[in-house]
Amino acid sequence: MDPRLTLVTLGVADVDTAIAFYRDGLGFPMQEREPDSDVAFFTLDGTWLSVYPRKLLAEDATVPLADGDEAGFSGVTLAHNVDSKAEVDAILGTVEEAGGRLVKPAADTFWGGYSGYFADPDGHLWEVAYPLLTAE
């Protein structure tokens, strides 16, 4: 795996409130957004930040939401975007050998890409995805 972080996704209660905070309040530059889209992307120096409904992010990763003190989805995923479906498969294929856990096998996505999820030994979720999002 090429050691780089290209996208951090925050699972939020309300995307419009998050946009108001990050774009309007903090001045983060935001990518053009499709009307009625559930996600917003902010291009930062060196990486991207996205905000997405927490419930939908947990569903996408196929993990339960936290309920009270019960362990569950933290609301944050890290993303490693690659150049091909084969590269997604190769990286996910090494996860268990490296000490991680495959959470969601790679598959074609509703947004037109291909991705899967793994958890590191501490349970932090990573998405490995194609097509490449360039964080420049």
Side-chain angles (χ1 to χ4, degrees):
M1 182 170 168
D2 180 24
R4 60 188 155 99
L5 182 66
T6 53
L7 176 71
V8 174
T9 301
L10 303 178
V12 299
D14 184 270
V15 172
D16 291 329
T17 299
I19 289 171
F21 177 76
Y22 287 105
R23 183 191 61 198
D24 304 334
L26 298 181
F28 284 22
M30 191 173 106
Q31 290 291 303
E32 187 72 27
R33 188 172 177 227
E34 294 288 324
D36 300 319
S37 175
D38 287 328
V39 66
F41 294 98
F42 302 90
T43 52
L44 309 177
D45 188 22
T47 193
W48 287 19
L49 172 70
S50 70
V51 292
Y52 191 61
R54 183 179 175 95
K55 180 180 180 212
L56 295 178
L57 189 57
E59 287 174 6
D60 187 52
T62 66
V63 296
L65 284 170
D67 184 22
D69 291 334
E70 184 179 319
F73 181 53
S74 69
V76 177
T77 62
L78 305 170
H80 181 71
N81 295 286
V82 297
D83 295 322
S84 70
K85 289 182 176 183
E87 197 172 352
V88 170
D89 292 335
I91 291 168
L92 291 176
T94 65
V95 165
E96 291 177 323
E97 183 178 307
R101 177 177 52 88
L102 184 63
V103 174
K104 179 182 176 185
D108 291 323
T109 66
F110 71 92
W111 47 265
Y114 182 77
S115 78
Y117 284 84
F118 71 89
D120 72 8
D122 291 302
H124 302 291
L125 288 179
W126 282 80
E127 178 185 26
V128 182
Y130 166 82
L132 178 69
L133 289 176
T134 305
E136 295 180 15

